């Protein structure tokens, strides 16, 4: 049976899963959830994911949410090789390090500033914007300062996850010009990641339209 994938295309973590599946040639059973109409709170979905969030996958008797857990699982189970998530302990540690930094620092700072502004009209603050800038600076200097890709010299699941996040930050007109390594990497990721336009850019375009509608009221 195919993997069931519950998602919404505007979500960066959901787009990271779509990009990963495309990279490994995995066809999933796509199950679009309309969060605006609270489909993620329906009893049948809560049985699968009591945390009522996307992305979520169901693979046989296994249900997983949290995108970074999902993408590493998919590559380990369905990838033709381990190039996107190497079995070598040091290489894998660098990838895990970057993924934990992304969710714990960068994406957390971005979400804390922009999602309350988009969905609840909460004013943005300079303090929160500085946290985003600090995280971007770390990404630019520490992770990408001497690497072609996020965690080394080749594309990994870290690049897929960061591409979904950073392209969303870019779409909200956060100035990335102070971070030359990020802009170099993002340009290369857009042209190198399999299915970027289909799996990521379409979702970004829809996300931008939604943000415009919600913030111009």
């Amino acid at each position: 049976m195919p993997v069931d994938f519950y998602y919404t295309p505007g979500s960066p973590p959901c787009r990271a899963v779509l990009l990963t599946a495309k990279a490994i040639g995995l066809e999933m059973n796509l199950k679009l959830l309309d969060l605006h109409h609270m489909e993620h709170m329906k009893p049948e979905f809560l049985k699968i994911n009591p945390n009522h969030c996307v992305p979520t996958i169901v693979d046989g008797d296994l249900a997983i949410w949290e995108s970074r857990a999902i993408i590493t699982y998919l590559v380990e189970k369905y990838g033709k090789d381990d190039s996107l998530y190497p079995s070598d302990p040091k290489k894998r540690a660098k990838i895990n390090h970057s993924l934990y930094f992304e969710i714990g620092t960068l994406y957390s700072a971005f979400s804390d500033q922009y999602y309350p502004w988009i969905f609840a009209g909460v004013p943005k603050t300079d303090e929160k914007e500085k946290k985003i800038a600090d995280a971007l600076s770390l990404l630019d200097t520490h992770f990408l300062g001497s690497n072609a890709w996020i965690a080394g010299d080749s594309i990994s699941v870290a690049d897929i996850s960061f591409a979904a996040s950073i392209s969303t930050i870019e779409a909200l007109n956060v100035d990335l010009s102070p971070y030359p390594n990020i802009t170099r990497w993002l340009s290369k990721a857009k042209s190198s990641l399999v299915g970027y336009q289909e799996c990521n850019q379409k979702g970004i375009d829809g996300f931008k339209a939604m943000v415009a509608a919600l913030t111009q009221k």
Side-chain angles (χ1 to χ4, degrees):
M1 293 180 62
V3 174
D4 288 336
F5 178 47
Y6 296 85
Y7 78 110
T8 183
S11 158
C14 289
R15 287 186 264 114
V17 176
L18 289 170
L19 282 166
T20 300
K22 180 65 71 172
I24 61 177
L26 175 66
E27 294 289 337
M28 299 188 295
N29 183 25
L30 303 182
K31 293 180 173 289
L32 180 65
L33 289 184
D34 186 338
L35 305 188
H36 179 71
H37 289 97
M38 305 299 287
E39 290 184 352
H40 60 304
M41 299 301 293
K42 290 184 175 181
E44 55 267 33
F45 184 68
L46 292 175
K47 288 181 181 178
I48 296 168
N49 178 355
N51 201 36
H52 50 79
C53 61
V54 291
T56 296
I57 65 164
V58 177
D59 188 12
D61 61 355
L62 176 67
I64 305 176
W65 62 90
E66 298 295 342
S67 66
R68 293 148 194 88
I70 292 171
I71 63 177
T72 53
Y73 167 76
L74 292 179
V75 170
E76 286 193 285
K77 182 171 182 181
Y78 295 104
K80 296 177 178 63
D81 54 46
D82 72 345
S83 60
L84 290 174
Y85 194 49
S87 57
D88 176 84
K90 289 185 178 180
K91 291 180 179 179
R92 180 165 289 195
K94 290 182 69 175
I95 292 170
N96 289 339
H97 177 202
S98 63
L99 289 173
Y100 298 158
F101 165 77
E102 183 200 7
I103 185 58
T105 302
L106 176 58
Y107 191 72
S108 176
F110 162 73
S111 301
D112 190 42
Q113 171 79 307
Y114 281 91
Y115 289 154
W117 170 67
I118 293 168
F119 296 110
V122 176
K124 292 179 286 184
T125 70
D126 291 342
E127 179 183 1
K128 290 181 179 180
E129 201 67 26
K130 184 179 184 303
K131 289 183 179 180
I132 298 172
D134 289 346
L136 289 171
S137 181
L138 271 174
L139 175 61
D140 189 73
T141 57
H142 178 75
F143 292 94
L144 287 168
S146 59
N147 291 330
W149 297 97
I150 295 288
D153 295 329
S154 59
I155 293 175
S156 72
V157 290
D159 297 285
I160 291 173
S161 190
F162 272 90
S165 296
I166 296 296
S167 59
T168 304
I169 293 173
E170 179 190 47
L172 288 172
N173 299 317
V174 174
D175 183 13
L176 297 180
S177 63
Y179 315 104
N181 292 319
I182 293 177
T183 56
R184 166 190 56 78
W185 163 83
L186 183 59
S187 176
K188 188 165 58 171
K190 289 178 179 180
S191 62
S192 300
L193 294 179
V194 178
Y196 182 88
Q197 291 297 320
E198 173 190 355
C199 299
N200 195 61
Q201 190 59 50
K202 285 184 179 180
I204 288 175
D205 293 342
F207 178 74
K208 288 174 68 175
M210 179 195 70
V211 170
L214 290 174
T215 58
Q216 291 176 7
K217 290 182 178 179

